Amino acid sequence: MEAFWISLAVVFVAELGDKSQLMAMTFATRFRPWPVLAGITVATAVVHLFSVGLGGLIGDALPTTAIAIAAGIAFLGFAVWTLRGDELSDDESRKAQRTTGSALVAVTVAFFLSELGDKTMLATITLATQHGWFGTWIGSTVGMVAADALAILAGRLIGKHLPEKVIRYGAAAAFAIFGLLLLAEPLL
């Protein structure tokens, strides 16, 4: 359960203000919310299953102290990445706007491709090096889907008037705190 809760919290925070949330809002303006959420769930479950598998292999191959230091540095990097912000490119925005056919297929494919190499995937890999794969997989998937569901709801309720700076700074601070705690762990 520890892996589940940690992964849920970390990935939820990682997803705040991320490009995926912007995509979720964009798709939600074009399609009904349930197919969008289902597509996000399918894509996230597949990407994060791969991520925890990779993290498990790395975790088995490296010493615990090295993993904690690498994870701490990674989370500090995620804090900087989050401060930098994420935006949809014009091309990504146009694709989301003009997608036709099945909403479920369109959203699943778009999210699968956008999550490859994204910070939530990297965070899931990092978490899986230290925690059980199953709890990390389920927690990271639930965290991402919850954050994107929030984006869909917010996008439908208040449109583009979200306080992006506040969300970005809060998420960056949370990453920095996680990173510092991970770096301090081997010293304690």
Side-chain angles (χ1 to χ4, degrees):
M1 285 306 291
E2 180 182 346
F4 171 81
W5 289 112
I6 290 171
S7 299
L8 187 149
V10 168
V11 171
F12 182 86
V13 168
E15 191 63 12
L16 296 177
D18 191 66
K19 174 174 56 174
S20 301
Q21 275 196 318
L22 299 173
M23 285 178 58
M25 280 193 233
T26 302
F27 278 122
T29 63
R30 181 155 170 78
F31 301 117
R32 291 178 299 132
W34 290 115
V36 173
L37 200 56
I40 291 168
T41 303
V42 170
T44 301
V46 172
V47 170
H48 288 195
L49 183 59
F50 171 76
S51 300
V52 297
L54 185 59
L57 290 173
I58 293 169
D60 290 344
L62 296 175
T64 308
T65 302
I67 290 171
I69 291 170
I73 292 169
F75 277 93
L76 291 175
F78 297 152
V80 172
W81 189 347
T82 301
L83 278 176
R84 181 185 59 99
D86 236 350
E87 295 180 4
L88 287 177
S89 69
D90 291 338
D91 186 45
E92 290 168 326
S93 186
R94 278 193 301 275
K95 283 180 186 175
Q97 294 280 337
R98 72 172 184 254
T99 301
T100 57
S102 170
L104 178 64
V105 172
V107 173
T108 300
V109 170
F111 269 79
F112 178 81
L113 294 174
S114 74
E115 284 306 304
L116 295 176
D118 194 46
K119 69 183 167 191
T120 52
M121 179 185 179
L122 299 174
T124 302
I125 292 169
T126 303
L127 289 165
T129 64
Q130 296 182 321
H131 302 286
W133 75 270
F134 187 74
T136 301
W137 175 48
I138 299 298
S140 66
T141 300
V142 170
M144 182 155 164
V145 171
D148 287 337
L150 182 63
I152 291 168
L153 180 64
R156 293 181 71 78
L157 292 176
I158 58 177
K160 296 183 179 187
H161 301 295
L162 294 175
E164 284 185 45
K165 275 190 176 181
V166 171
I167 292 170
R168 188 176 335 136
Y169 291 149
F175 270 123
I177 290 167
F178 282 124
L180 292 173
L181 288 172
L182 284 167
L183 286 172
E185 188 175 302
L187 302 174
L188 300 175

